[in-house]
Amino acid sequence: MKSRRNFLKITALSTAAVISNPIIASENKGIENKPNSNKITKPIVVSTWNHGIAANEASWKILSKGGTALDAVEAGVRVTESDASNMSVGLGGLPDRDGIVTLDACIMDENNKCGAVAFLQDIENPISVARKVMEDTPHVMLAGEGARQFAFEKGFKKTNLLTENAKKVWEEWKKKSKYQPIINSENHDTIGQLALDENGNLSGACTTSGMAYKIHGRVGDSPIIGAGLFVDNEVGAACATGMGEAVIRIAGSAIVVELMRNGKTPHEACKEAVDRVVKKHADLTNLQVGFLALNKNGEVGGYSVYAGFNYAVHTRSQNELIDAKYDKKQ
Ligand code: SD4
């Protein structure tokens, strides 16, 4: 994601938060925590990408008052979903190749309860619909028109998600694209968020407009439990960003959690999952994938195929952006 920083506009709130907090942005440093069960960092919330700073702020309002990780992650990613200037999540997200914005999201709590929506249209906050699927139905995932109808039944309002700006960008794309979905490492940036609350419970959320200009009906990893997100309250939580197809192929987030269960640090687990992505794909052109993980001790790690992935970490002392370590420069 070479020019991702140009592509993604940081919101005014994010900018303020970045300015007021020190940024660790040193080249390929990342966080490399060693397990230390004597010291648990909690509460803590972590999110993918620059927009994670603003999302973390919203989550922190809940976590700092002793609120649950589940409430915190829902509130956090709603900020990104409702930010029309963000072109990769929720309102204002780039559409599919037919000009239709379709959204994917999932949420998971400390009891292995989970809910998801895929290929959802016309709803600004899919994460909250996913939570309703989790809490009000016996199912895990609703998709497409059924998910949309369910959202209306639950009182969600119909919203036009295609902003004038996103429409203009799509119209430009159409001129050159010949209607081919192009997998481009610069046209997507999901928010995945993981939190550990004061009671030591973990939850996570993941939400996206998916890959821009995808074929109508395409669903990525982000709403798939075990791919875009996985939480096991005994061990830790993980989420993914980047090319969803590659994440699904290795059951990415579930693998990261299993690796932590087997003793890896969050950093080591994310690295090993990335190694697996690299090993399983002969052609790595534009194949960016990043994983973010948080364990029960509040230790954090992130790793990506290519340089450019970053994540925001909010603890009692700060809300900071960290550049993940990576496998390849470009
Ligand atoms: C997808 N994984 O739809 C998402 C896109 C993404 O950072 O994460 N971008 O494939």
Side-chain angles (χ1 to χ4, degrees):
M1 304 190 185
K2 267 184 280 183
S3 56
R4 185 183 47 74
R5 282 192 180 80
N6 300 336
F7 175 72
L8 224 199
K9 273 196 190 143
I10 306 176
T11 61
L13 181 56
S14 317
T15 311
V18 170
I19 291 167
S20 65
N21 291 291
I23 302 171
I24 297 174
S26 49
E27 179 78 349
N28 204 18
K29 284 269 164 31
I31 280 191
E32 213 169 336
N33 285 312
K34 291 286 165 218
N36 174 4
S37 51
N38 297 327
K39 199 181 156 287
I40 298 177
T41 303
K42 61 177 187 176
I44 179 170
V45 57
V46 300
S47 305
T48 54
W49 303 116
N50 291 347
H51 47 217
I53 289 281
N56 283 357
E57 293 290 339
S59 304
W60 193 254
K61 285 188 186 138
I62 292 168
L63 291 172
S64 60
K65 290 188 196 111
T68 67
L70 181 65
D71 287 343
V73 294
E74 182 190 6
V77 304
R78 278 177 64 97
V79 170
T80 325
E81 289 179 337
S82 295
D83 177 0
S85 71
N86 180 313
M87 301 183 88
S88 52
V89 180
L91 177 69
L94 287 171
D96 63 19
R97 66 181 185 176
D98 296 344
I100 301 164
V101 180
T102 71
L103 305 178
D104 295 337
C106 72
I107 193 160
M108 190 163 187
D109 77 3
E110 74 269 18
N111 298 312
N112 275 59
K113 284 197 298 172
C114 42
V117 287
F119 187 49
L120 175 65
Q121 295 171 43
D122 298 328
I123 303 291
E124 184 173 322
N125 294 116
I127 199 66
S128 296
V129 186
R131 184 165 176 180
K132 290 277 181 214
V133 173
M134 174 174 100
E135 291 181 339
D136 295 0
T137 81
H139 308 305
V140 165
M141 183 186 282
L142 295 180
E145 184 54 23
R148 184 171 164 272
Q149 286 307 325
F150 172 78
F152 293 149
E153 277 164 31
K154 291 290 167 186
F156 290 84
K157 288 199 185 65
K158 184 170 183 204
T159 305
N160 174 20
L161 301 174
L162 185 65
T163 56
E164 277 310 307
N165 189 33
K167 193 171 167 201
K168 250 188 240 153
V169 176
W170 166 67
E171 276 163 356
E172 276 308 304
W173 172 82
K174 267 201 307 185
K175 283 182 199 162
K176 297 171 276 179
S177 69
K178 304 192 183 80
Y179 198 60
Q180 298 289 331
I182 295 170
I183 295 205
N184 179 338
S185 59
E186 289 168 18
N187 63 15
H188 51 79
D189 266 354
T190 294
I191 184 153
Q193 200 185 44
L194 314 168
L196 179 67
D197 64 28
E198 194 61 61
N199 291 324
N201 286 322
L202 287 159
S203 289
C206 186
T207 176
T208 190
S209 51
M211 199 163 282
Y213 321 130
K214 59 199 173 188
I215 294 173
H216 187 63
R218 180 263 187 191
V219 171
D221 61 314
S222 304
I224 297 177
I225 297 294
L229 175 73
F230 197 68
V231 178
D232 186 324
N233 205 39
E234 289 172 21
V235 177
C239 58
T241 181
M243 195 189 290
E245 285 75 0
V247 175
I248 294 170
R249 282 184 198 113
I250 67 149
S253 294
I255 285 294
V256 173
V257 171
E258 285 312 294
L259 289 164
M260 291 194 288
R261 192 193 309 279
N262 293 331
K264 303 270 186 213
T265 64
H267 169 81
E268 290 165 347
C270 291
K271 180 177 183 319
E272 194 164 326
V274 164
D275 289 348
R276 203 165 295 189
V277 168
V278 169
K279 205 169 124 198
K280 299 284 180 189
H281 292 84
D283 183 4
L284 290 168
T285 314
N286 277 326
L287 201 161
Q288 174 65 313
V289 165
F291 292 105
L292 176 61
L294 171 68
N295 71 12
K296 279 293 269 187
N297 292 336
E299 295 161 339
V300 184
Y303 205 88
S304 54
V305 176
Y306 291 107
F309 172 44
N310 65 358
Y311 52 94
V313 179
H314 201 318
T315 58
R316 282 189 201 284
S317 51
Q318 58 197 353
N319 189 14
E320 62 181 351
L321 273 176
I322 294 174
D323 285 341
K325 284 193 175 186
Y326 50 85
D327 201 63
K328 300 176 190 318
K329 258 215 141 76
Q330 254 324 320

